[in-house]
């Protein structure tokens, strides 16, 4: 019996690969959350220190809560991509998630090149931002 590699097989394999990547990333969110702290914009983070001013109307969670929430989103997206019945919706949601993450990567890059940024931060965030584009395109391609 010969095996024929079809477009459907390619999409399924691609969905499995992206799902594995999302699960690995989600695990890292919970193992080493500090890795993700720089890509959570300050304007999203609640300031819990006594006597401090709030960061704005979008600051509804702490940085730790944002990182944990995004890890949970990635787990949900990964599971959705694994199931053929939910793959299209999960692909759309994953594309939206990666697109929303662009704001954090842009903010991290802006801060890295600011007065308090370091050479290491500039290198890391200069590489991390463009990596979002292939992830967005990859998840978008799984909508079929």
């Amino acid at each position: 019996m010969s095996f024929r590699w079809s477009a459907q097989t390619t999409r399924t394999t691609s969905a499995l690969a992206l799902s594995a990547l999302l699960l690995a990333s989600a695990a890292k969110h919970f193992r080493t959350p500090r890795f993700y702290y720089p890509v959570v914009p300050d304007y999203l983070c609640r300031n819990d220190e006594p006597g401090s001013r709030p960061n704005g109307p979008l600051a509804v969670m702490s940085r730790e809560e944002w990182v944990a929430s995004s890890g949970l989103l990635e787990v949900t997206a990964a599971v959705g991509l694994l199931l053929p019945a939910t793959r299209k919706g999960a692909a759309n949601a994953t594309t939206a998630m990666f697109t929303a993450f662009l704001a954090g990567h842009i903010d991290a890059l802006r801060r890295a090149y600011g007065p308090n940024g370091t050479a290491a931060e500039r290198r890391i965030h200069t590489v991390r931002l463009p990596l979002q584009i292939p992830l967005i395109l990859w998840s978008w391609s799984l909508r079929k």
Side-chain angles (χ1 to χ4, degrees):
M1 184 166 132
S2 66
F3 177 74
R4 291 179 119 24
W5 197 266
S6 67
Q8 181 61 37
T9 304
T10 300
R11 279 192 297 279
T12 299
T13 303
S14 183
L16 290 171
L18 183 55
S19 182
L21 180 72
L22 285 165
L23 288 172
S25 176
K28 188 168 179 67
H29 275 75
F30 297 105
R31 272 195 324 270
T32 54
R34 289 195 177 277
F35 177 79
Y36 296 96
Y37 286 4
V39 293
V40 180
D42 291 336
Y43 59 82
L44 290 178
C45 298
R46 187 180 64 232
N47 197 343
D48 291 336
E49 294 182 25
S52 62
R53 292 180 24 210
N55 286 345
L58 298 176
V60 295
M61 291 191 284
S62 68
R63 192 171 308 279
E64 296 82 8
E65 291 167 333
W66 279 112
V67 170
S69 296
S70 63
L72 289 174
L73 282 173
E74 288 183 346
V75 168
T76 304
V79 171
L81 290 172
L82 290 175
L83 305 170
T86 59
R87 187 167 297 149
K88 183 176 181 176
N92 286 326
T94 304
T95 301
M97 179 182 70
F98 284 142
T99 302
F101 288 173
L102 278 174
H105 287 284
I106 291 167
D107 188 65
L109 187 64
R110 179 191 59 78
R111 282 185 276 115
Y113 280 92
N116 298 324
T118 65
E121 290 170 333
R122 286 189 285 277
R123 279 191 304 275
I124 289 166
H125 295 298
T126 298
V127 170
R128 277 177 96 173
L129 175 62
L131 289 176
Q132 288 301 112
I133 303 304
L135 291 172
I136 291 167
L137 295 173
W138 186 5
S139 60
W140 182 257
S141 74
L142 296 174
R143 295 172 308 105
K144 296 180 176 96

